[in-house]
Amino acid sequence: MKITEHLGVWIARNPVLIIVAAVLLTLIAFHYAQQIEMQGMNTESFVGKDSPLYQIYDHLYVEKFGTESISVLIEGDDITKPDPLKAMLALSDKMGYIPNVIGVQSIASIVADTEADETGIRSIPDGRKIDEILARPENSRIVKVILPDRRHTMLSVEVPVSLTEGQLNEIYRETGEQVKLANFPPDVGVTVTGRPALMTSITEEMAKSNGPLLALAGLFMILALVLTFRHVKWPLLPIPIVFLGIIWTFGAMGLLHISFNMVSMSAFPVLVGIGIDYAIQFHNRLDEEYARGGSPIKAVTETINHVSRPVMIALIVTATGFISLLTSSVPIVRDFGITCLIGLFLCYISALFVGVTTLNIIEKRDFHTIELNAQESYERAPKETAIGLILGKTAEFCIRNWQPILVAALFLSLFGIYADKQVPVDTDFKNYVPQDLAPLVEFRHMSDIFGGTDSIKLLIQGSDITNPETIKWMDDFSTYLVNSREQIYGASSIATYVKQANGDTIPTDQTMLRNLIDGLPAIARNKYIDGQNTAIIDLNVGQTVSKLGAEGTDRLIKEIGKDIAWHPPPPDVSVRETGDPVVMTTVISALTTGRTEMTLTGLLLIFLLLLIVYKGDVIKALLPVLPMLVVIGWMGGVMYVTGLKYTPLTATLGALILGVGSEYAILMMERFYEELQRVGEPMKALNVASRRLGSALVASGLTTVFGFAALIASPFSITSNFGLLTVLAIIFALITTFTVFLVLLFRMETSRAQLMTAGAQFYKDLNGMINSRGG
């Protein structure tokens, strides 16, 4: 007896044990699911920590200078009047005492600190004195930045970049509470915004949208099963079975500390779509076996014996496609791959044990054994379905017209592969989120007023940065960049503050220069210089990163690199570009050449795996892979024609197509060879396989399509576009399975049979010649 037969007998005889184990596993999953951490879209989500650029960014920039701001936007008819400034000062002082706040910057603090220096009392003076303080040359630079006009100003709460999501959320909420307590005048509007506030809101929106999406996916799948799977009993049973696997996957994420982010959340509709196919295949075959008669144990045993192996092969092949995602340099892409790998296995376990057991318990109540021999049992199959008959006719049509079908498929695929190279990349996370999200609208409103907050950092290192020659170069180079690069709106460094404190000149005496630096406010000094060997130049590029996109920003960074080469620093000083925009350029190659490498790696791994599974049978190993190349080409053409862009999520599309598409092909191929052993004639075997398995594959495919269609309703465009493209990819995979794949399967198997016949005839003739000469 085969291992699969032993497993079938065990499953049939131990329903109580299986159900109890499933309940316990579900309770454990619920416990660990509470430990899942939500993760926003930050630099660490896109860039691997082993990247050289990230090492510079993290160890030299973030650890020494890395800060970000929670911004409080203050608007009114004239926010420089005493009453708004008094409320602003109260807010600034309160925020300064909150843990993890480095400093608070506002025009109220500038006015109050100046007043304290002159009178000994830190307070807001009358309106005339306020105007005089704000107009002073020593305050002009900072006032120009945070007070673009008398109607708008910004209070900045500086916090370390290294804070956790939880710490950042706590400061964000505390800022909102302190704004309420500050007693701003009724005609003054106050909005808490900035990148940390935006990221917090995105994380909350992700948590809210995930549940409705899964519910909508379930509703759509019910509709699909009712339409396409009603030829079996209990056609909706696969839905709770696959959702059981999803619950287990949530538990595994909490147990293994896999973060939940904008990309990994999309893994669950993927798992619902693929996992339900496993449940449908077991359900369809078990229903077929019950229709043939025999004992319940025999029905379960036959189902496990004939379905568990091909579905397991399909699972391994699908997993191999997702394993290729682990080669990506983008962490959230790897997290997506890991989540899918775990979920696929758990959905298979749910379908194999819980699905088969549940259906067997239900069916046994109304089951009556009918004694039939093997041939009668085979012929006593379920009645033909309309879908099965259509697919059988489609198979016959494709075999008769195989040449134009293959030519058309190849032409469209080659066009798509070429067009795919023209598809742009989008790495700006603000384009992924709902465009009407209130914090995003507020963030963009602030950017419109203050010119944006994007910046590129130049990291300066040397034996002594406080050397007057080095400080002078920093000032000259900053001025050159602002004057020569229209995308750079301003540049600030320690040289900026030295000039401001010394009458717009840089001292030539190093001792005097160091004394000036030591006398600067700590918030300014710590922001631009660390000791005597490291400093930064902060290049304000406004909204350039958003406007130019990933490729345009990459070009700007390379141009700045050329400027550094043409205007080099003193001999013992090095300059390197860093900051979020610079580090994010690594994502461009990951989503272009890296995407192609992932797909090719997946193709190669799947071919080698099938070669091992089918014991060196090249035809069986190659057949499921070839149609997927066609689909990948078609999808490239779709993205080009529709104007969609690649994101970290759509970059996984190649692996998804390999996994889902090859699964359909493998299941069809396995059933074809099973029928070929029975009937012995390829065309008849192909027709029977198409008619009997086709309905289940279409039901599975359309259920998957309907499940992914729920993603189109996502408020996140990155998820919505992924859902749309996946729906098209699955439809294309189904089309190629019943057209291109069937043609290749029939032609290659027929050619193999002809070659074997010719070989046998040649051997027979040769043997006859040898015998005749010997005689």
Side-chain angles (χ1 to χ4, degrees):
M1 187 181 287
K2 297 179 181 178
I3 294 176
T4 52
E5 291 176 346
H6 280 295
L7 180 61
V9 172
W10 187 87
I11 289 174
R13 289 177 175 172
N14 295 277
V16 176
L17 180 61
I18 291 171
I19 297 299
V20 169
V23 171
L24 289 176
L25 191 57
T26 305
L27 293 175
I28 294 171
F30 274 118
H31 169 72
Y32 280 106
Q34 308 302 315
Q35 301 178 22
I36 296 176
E37 294 182 0
M38 300 294 293
Q39 180 187 47
M41 299 294 277
N42 49 32
T43 303
E44 288 78 5
S45 302
F46 286 94
V47 185
K49 294 185 177 181
D50 55 348
S51 161
L53 276 176
Y54 183 84
Q55 295 295 318
I56 296 171
Y57 169 82
D58 186 50
H59 298 308
L60 295 178
Y61 167 63
V62 171
E63 290 182 5
K64 296 178 183 291
F65 306 104
T67 64
E68 56 185 344
S69 299
I70 294 176
S71 302
V72 181
L73 176 62
I74 302 166
E75 302 174 280
D77 291 334
D78 186 354
I79 42 79
T80 62
K81 290 181 178 180
D83 287 345
L85 288 185
K86 287 176 183 177
M88 209 182 304
L89 181 62
L91 176 61
S92 297
D93 291 345
K94 286 286 187 181
M95 292 305 300
Y97 290 109
I98 293 176
N100 295 315
V101 171
I102 297 172
V104 183
Q105 192 175 68
S106 69
I107 57 170
S109 298
I110 294 171
V111 170
D113 290 343
T114 304
E115 182 72 4
D117 291 340
E118 295 178 355
T119 66
I121 300 174
R122 191 171 184 273
S123 62
I124 301 297
D126 59 34
R128 186 178 301 174
K129 183 70 177 293
I130 291 171
D131 292 342
E132 188 266 323
I133 291 173
L134 293 175
R136 291 180 185 180
E138 63 267 26
N139 296 328
S140 62
R141 181 191 169 277
I142 187 63
V143 169
K144 183 180 178 182
V145 173
I146 63 176
L147 185 69
D149 56 61
R150 299 181 77 89
R151 295 173 56 85
H152 305 89
T153 189
M154 178 171 59
L155 183 149
S156 296
V157 181
E158 297 283 332
V159 297
V161 173
S162 56
L163 291 184
T164 64
E165 292 282 334
Q167 291 172 321
L168 203 56
N169 290 345
E170 187 177 339
I171 296 174
Y172 170 59
R173 292 190 179 92
E174 183 63 29
T175 304
E177 291 299 319
Q178 292 301 328
V179 165
K180 296 175 183 176
L181 297 174
N183 294 320
F184 280 91
D187 60 337
V188 174
V190 184
T191 306
V192 181
T193 183
R195 184 184 175 93
L198 178 59
M199 296 308 299
T200 299
S201 299
I202 290 173
T203 302
E204 291 173 352
E205 186 69 20
M206 282 165 45
K208 285 194 298 183
S209 66
N210 193 54
L213 280 181
L214 282 176
L216 188 61
L219 183 63
F220 281 174
M221 288 191 299
I222 289 173
L223 179 61
L225 288 175
V226 168
L227 292 174
T228 62
F229 203 49
R230 56 188 176 187
H231 61 279
V232 303
K233 295 180 180 179
W234 307 97
L236 300 183
L237 183 61
I239 292 177
I241 297 303
V242 73
F243 273 98
L244 183 64
I246 296 298
I247 292 170
W248 294 349
T249 305
F250 272 114
M253 286 184 71
L255 177 64
L256 301 175
H257 304 290
I258 300 172
S259 299
F260 192 78
N261 54 52
M262 200 183 298
V263 173
S264 63
M265 68 182 283
S266 299
F268 291 97
V270 172
L271 294 175
V272 169
I274 298 175
I276 202 165
D277 182 46
Y278 304 154
I280 286 174
Q281 296 304 323
F282 282 109
H283 191 136
N284 185 68
R285 187 58 181 255
L286 189 57
D287 187 78
E288 188 177 320
E289 293 299 333
Y290 270 113
R292 287 175 177 160
S295 68
I297 290 181
K298 182 181 178 182
V300 172
T301 303
E302 286 294 307
T303 297
I304 301 300
N305 189 38
H306 288 100
V307 178
S308 62
R309 180 178 178 272
V311 173
M312 174 57 79
I313 293 172
L315 164 65
I316 294 171
V317 169
T318 305
T320 303
F322 286 120
I323 285 173
S324 66
L325 297 180
L326 305 185
T327 64
S328 173
S329 62
V330 182
I332 51 176
V333 172
R334 294 199 297 269
D335 286 347
F336 177 84
I338 292 171
T339 304
C340 287
L341 287 171
I342 295 170
L344 286 174
F345 175 74
L346 293 176
C347 286
Y348 177 80
I349 294 298
S350 176
L352 174 63
F353 290 98
V354 183
V356 171
T357 298
T358 304
L359 188 60
N360 189 39
I361 291 172
I362 296 171
E363 290 279 10
K364 276 199 299 187
R365 293 181 306 178
D366 303 320
F367 184 79
H368 301 286
T369 302
I370 303 172
E371 295 297 333
L372 300 171
N373 59 39
Q375 183 61 30
E376 289 174 332
S377 177
Y378 172 72
E379 292 174 352
R380 187 184 166 86
K383 63 180 181 180
E384 297 283 5
T385 65
I387 293 175
L389 291 172
I390 291 171
L391 293 177
K393 296 292 184 183
T394 302
E396 293 174 1
F397 175 82
C398 291
I399 297 303
R400 288 197 306 269
N401 301 276
W402 65 276
Q403 290 172 318
I405 286 174
L406 291 185
V407 169
L410 181 62
F411 173 78
L412 291 173
S413 181
L414 291 175
F415 165 76
I417 291 171
Y418 171 77
D420 183 68
K421 300 181 184 298
Q422 316 301 318
V423 177
V425 173
D426 186 4
T427 58
D428 187 352
F429 78 93
K430 294 189 290 296
N431 295 333
Y432 303 161
V433 303
Q435 297 303 292
D436 59 350
L437 190 67
L440 178 60
V441 173
E442 293 162 356
F443 181 84
R444 285 180 169 155
H445 176 56
M446 181 192 71
S447 297
D448 290 339
I449 295 170
F450 294 95
T453 58
D454 295 336
S455 65
I456 295 172
K457 318 292 184 183
L458 300 182
L459 186 69
I460 319 296
Q461 288 186 292
S463 57
D464 188 357
I465 294 298
T466 62
N467 185 303
E469 184 184 2
T470 303
I471 299 294
K472 181 73 166 55
W473 176 86
M474 292 169 67
D475 182 54
D476 291 344
F477 188 64
S478 297
T479 303
Y480 168 79
L481 287 177
V482 173
N483 293 335
S484 62
R485 298 286 173 197
E486 63 179 11
Q487 300 93 344
I488 300 175
Y489 300 106
S492 56
S493 66
I494 196 66
T496 308
Y497 287 88
V498 167
K499 286 179 66 177
Q500 183 177 300
N502 195 50
D504 207 35
T505 62
I506 295 175
T508 55
D509 180 73
Q510 186 162 3
T511 302
M512 182 181 176
L513 180 57
R514 285 184 177 177
N515 289 336
L516 276 173
I517 292 173
D518 291 341
L520 293 174
I523 190 171
R525 188 175 62 249
N526 296 337
K527 189 173 182 178
Y528 294 103
I529 191 167
D530 181 65
Q532 295 181 4
N533 58 9
T534 309
I536 64 165
I537 300 175
D538 190 346
L539 304 178
N540 177 15
V541 293
Q543 300 182 59
T544 298
V545 174
S546 300
K547 290 178 179 177
L548 293 182
E551 290 92 343
T553 303
D554 189 34
R555 287 193 297 270
L556 174 60
I557 291 168
K558 289 175 180 175
E559 289 299 316
I560 294 173
K562 293 177 183 178
D563 290 333
I564 295 171
W566 279 102
H567 300 82
D572 64 335
V573 177
S574 66
V575 183
R576 286 180 283 188
E577 296 166 278
T578 189
D580 284 348
V582 177
V583 179
M584 289 292 285
T585 57
T586 60
V587 181
I588 300 171
S589 60
L591 300 185
T592 51
T593 55
R595 181 183 75 247
T596 305
E597 289 168 2
M598 282 192 299
T599 303
L600 292 176
T601 300
L603 281 169
L604 181 61
L605 288 174
I606 289 173
F607 173 72
L608 293 176
L609 177 67
L610 291 176
L611 204 59
I612 294 170
V613 169
Y614 293 117
K615 301 176 181 178
D617 191 325
V618 177
I619 291 178
K620 285 186 177 181
L622 199 58
L623 273 171
V625 173
L626 292 178
M628 296 311 101
L629 281 172
V630 172
V631 176
I632 290 170
W634 290 359
M635 290 308 303
V638 167
M639 291 201 68
Y640 175 75
V641 171
T642 56
L644 293 173
K645 297 179 180 180
Y646 275 113
T647 66
L649 196 50
T650 51
T652 66
L653 204 57
L656 183 64
I657 292 169
L658 290 176
V660 177
S662 55
E663 176 190 355
Y664 297 150
I666 287 169
L667 292 173
M668 177 60 75
M669 183 174 70
E670 287 281 332
R671 187 60 184 260
F672 166 76
Y673 283 112
E674 181 186 337
E675 299 299 336
L676 186 62
Q677 283 185 333
R678 286 195 175 110
V679 300
E681 202 278 307
M683 189 63 221
K684 186 176 180 182
L686 195 66
N687 192 282
V688 172
S690 299
R691 287 186 289 108
R692 292 192 176 174
L693 184 65
S695 293
L697 285 183
V698 169
S700 171
L702 289 183
T703 305
T704 305
V705 164
F706 277 49
F708 276 110
L711 289 182
I712 300 174
S714 172
F716 291 87
S717 63
I718 185 175
T719 306
S720 178
N721 290 341
F722 176 69
L724 174 63
L725 290 171
T726 307
V727 164
L728 292 174
I730 295 168
I731 291 173
F732 288 163
L734 280 173
I735 291 172
T736 54
T737 298
F738 293 109
T739 55
V740 176
F741 174 73
L742 291 185
V743 168
L744 292 173
L745 178 61
F746 179 78
R747 300 299 304 179
M748 294 176 80
E749 188 57 38
T750 303
S751 298
R752 171 158 56 185
Q754 291 172 349
L755 285 172
M756 290 177 66
T757 302
Q761 185 62 44
F762 175 77
Y763 178 78
K764 182 179 178 181
D765 293 343
L766 182 64
N767 196 39
M769 290 172 61
I770 293 172
N771 290 335
S772 63
R773 288 183 180 180

